[in-house]
Amino acid sequence: MKTTPQGTVEIKSPSSMGSGSHPLVVLLFILLLAGVLTYLFESGSYQRKDGLVIPGSYQTIPKDNSLMELFGTVADNPAGTASPVGLVDLLLAVPEGLQKGGGLIFMVLVIGGLFGILSKSGAVDAGLERLLSAVRGNVYWLVSCLMLIFALGSTLLGLASEYLLIIPLMVELARRLGMSNLIGLAIVTVAVKVGYLSSITNPLPLTIAQPLLGLPIFSGAGLRAVFFAIYLLVGIGFMLWVIKRAGFTKGADLALETKPLSPCHFIMLITLLIGIGGLVYASNHWQWEKQQLTAYYIALSLFLAVQSGLGANEAAEAFVSGMKKILMASFLIGVAFAIAITLQNGKVLDSVVHSLVSFIGEDNRYIAALGMFGTQLVLDVLIPSTSGQAAVTMPIMGPVGQLSGVAPQTTVLAFLFGNGITNMITPTSGTLLAYLATAQVGWSQWARFILPLVAIFILLACVMLMTAVYIGY
């Protein structure tokens, strides 16, 4: 940290937060790897009923692995057969992924436009000045409180994509303190992932996973609440360490403005807060999907544009400018969907699940619990959807847990830990990529930053699972 001639404080970002490989290169490499996997793994499928896997129903599907399939397409396969994904199908998977992820992509673009209007009006900078003045520059206290609020929203209500609207605010907060976008992104992302790790009453995983194992929905919340508190303390401690390492010192002179907000900025910020509250209510009570959420963001953008005092043309230019900043990153969401499509076209997803489950031991319940956790860690790369992973794995893991002496609640816990930890870093997660796009942070940059915390969380999860097995949870 150093003081500029003007008296303000300049805080250097950690040197480890370089840009690294372009995220498009990373995702295209993973897409190519997915295509290779369709050659290496046998094709097979489980039977399903109402979208859920039927345990013990796995069957292999005949497949021709010859190199000639490189130039064929899966559309030409006779019924009941499979083939590896060729070059044509790899290319077709990208536009198909863009179409499949269109709802999320357009939502992210509109949010970028919304904050383009807020930034152009100066409301964000003015609001953050007042917020930092209110806490007297104690950023450690502010970050801790914000992470607690975000984590509670995710662990109790399942909030995740709703926080896309918050990320630009946290990014601007980090910039105001002289730190990188990465730290602003992490304040939200670490808190959200901590909430999903334990999911005290998170309806997204629990309403699917627990009934499949014969458990009442939201049962066993007491121990999950204890684990949530532990994860949150570690997550907050990690973020405070990062902020201190970046050079910020408690009580530093931030040259904060103390003048009151202008009426225009005050009205815009109040509108934004009310808009966020309405968003949370609508998502949980009316189960809005991405289409309704995007329409909501457009309406909020129009309200803010009218209040900003900008002319119609200037507001439109600000909106488009905000969208342009995240256009390339939004394209990556479509490529991530293309990876899942490739694995589905090659019919190897169920084969991977079947192979991983066969490695889970049945002779020792501690080893079995850790085996289920490790399996969920790997499967989350291929099935990043929380509800989707629950629907595929819980009907299989339940009987495995029973055979090995692992209680159903612990089986659910292994799923929550595996899904939550991998979702912190996997480049196939549309939600994570949307977060990165909104914050304008590259995936490789994020991966280097978050990997130490991922390793710590994996160790904590192993200890917690063995504890749960020991007490018969």
Side-chain angles (χ1 to χ4, degrees), residues 252-327:
D253 178 14
L254 298 175
L256 299 173
E257 298 286 344
T258 57
K259 63 182 181 181
L261 291 170
S262 69
C264 173
H265 290 160
F266 178 79
I267 293 172
M268 291 184 72
L269 293 174
I270 290 296
T271 300
L272 181 62
L273 290 175
I274 294 173
I276 293 171
L279 172 67
V280 172
Y281 180 87
S283 297
N284 285 277
H285 290 79
W286 299 330
Q287 284 76 50
W288 277 3
E289 299 294 335
K290 294 180 178 64
Q291 186 176 0
Q292 290 87 356
L293 291 173
T294 302
Y296 183 87
Y297 291 134
I298 292 173
L300 189 57
S301 299
L302 291 173
F303 274 111
L304 292 171
V306 171
Q307 296 166 356
S308 66
L310 302 172
N313 289 338
E314 193 175 4
E317 289 176 0
F319 186 85
V320 172
S321 177
M323 294 177 69
K324 285 180 178 178
K325 290 180 179 179
I326 56 177
L327 182 60

Side-chain angles (χ1 to χ4, degrees), residues 31-338:
L31 178 62
L32 181 61
L33 181 61
V36 172
L37 287 179
T38 65
Y39 276 89
L40 299 180
F41 279 88
E42 67 178 14
S43 291
S45 66
Y46 287 98
Q47 295 179 23
R48 286 169 167 79
K49 183 178 181 181
D50 299 327
L52 303 176
V53 168
I54 300 175
S57 64
Y58 176 79
Q59 292 182 333
T60 58
I61 300 175
K63 180 168 68 173
D64 179 8
N65 274 341
S66 66
L67 290 178
M68 292 301 296
E69 296 297 330
L70 274 174
F71 308 100
T73 64
V74 294
D76 298 332
N77 294 337
T81 64
S83 68
V85 173
L87 298 175
V88 174
D89 284 320
L90 277 178
L91 294 174
L92 288 173
V94 175
E96 189 177 346
L98 288 167
Q99 183 178 7
K100 187 175 180 180
L104 182 58
I105 292 170
F106 286 120
M107 185 171 71
V108 170
L109 288 172
V110 172
I111 291 173
L114 184 153
F115 273 90
I117 295 172
L118 279 172
S119 298
K120 183 69 175 179
S121 70
V124 173
D125 288 336
L128 291 175
E129 290 280 358
R130 294 301 302 154
L131 177 63
L132 289 170
S133 295
V135 298
R136 299 180 180 179
N138 193 332
V139 177
Y140 297 144
W141 182 86
L142 177 61
V143 168
S144 300
C145 290
L146 289 172
M147 290 184 67
L148 173 62
I149 294 170
F150 299 152
L152 286 173
S154 63
T155 198
L156 299 178
L157 301 174
L159 302 183
S161 59
E162 292 82 358
Y163 286 131
L164 284 169
L165 200 59
I166 301 292
I167 289 176
L169 292 174
M170 295 300 101
V171 168
E172 289 301 323
L173 173 64
R175 287 177 178 172
R176 178 64 185 84
L177 297 173
M179 293 181 284
S180 69
N181 291 17
L182 190 57
I183 292 179
L185 168 69
I187 291 171
V188 180
T189 307
V190 171
V192 171
K193 300 308 180 183
V194 161
Y196 265 74
L197 270 171
S198 294
S199 290
I200 299 174
T201 59
N202 182 351
L204 291 179
L206 297 180
T207 54
I208 296 176
Q210 288 188 317
L212 288 175
L213 299 188
L215 297 169
I217 297 175
F218 305 139
S219 60
L223 186 61
R224 291 199 302 274
V226 174
F227 292 161
F228 165 76
I230 295 172
Y231 278 126
L232 181 60
L233 287 173
V234 173
I236 291 175
F238 175 79
M239 286 307 305
L240 298 186
W241 172 77
V242 167
I243 291 172
K244 183 176 181 180
R245 183 168 173 250
F248 179 80
T249 303
K250 181 179 178 181
D253 178 14
L254 298 175
L256 299 173
E257 298 286 344
T258 57
K259 63 182 181 181
L261 291 170
S262 69
C264 173
H265 290 160
F266 178 79
I267 293 172
M268 291 184 72
L269 293 174
I270 290 296
T271 300
L272 181 62
L273 290 175
I274 294 173
I276 293 171
L279 172 67
V280 172
Y281 180 87
S283 297
N284 285 277
H285 290 79
W286 299 330
Q287 284 76 50
W288 277 3
E289 299 294 335
K290 294 180 178 64
Q291 186 176 0
Q292 290 87 356
L293 291 173
T294 302
Y296 183 87
Y297 291 134
I298 292 173
L300 189 57
S301 299
L302 291 173
F303 274 111
L304 292 171
V306 171
Q307 296 166 356
S308 66
L310 302 172
N313 289 338
E314 193 175 4
E317 289 176 0
F319 186 85
V320 172
S321 177
M323 294 177 69
K324 285 180 178 178
K325 290 180 179 179
I326 56 177
L327 182 60
M328 179 60 208
S330 298
F331 177 80
L332 300 178
I333 297 173
V335 181
F337 277 97

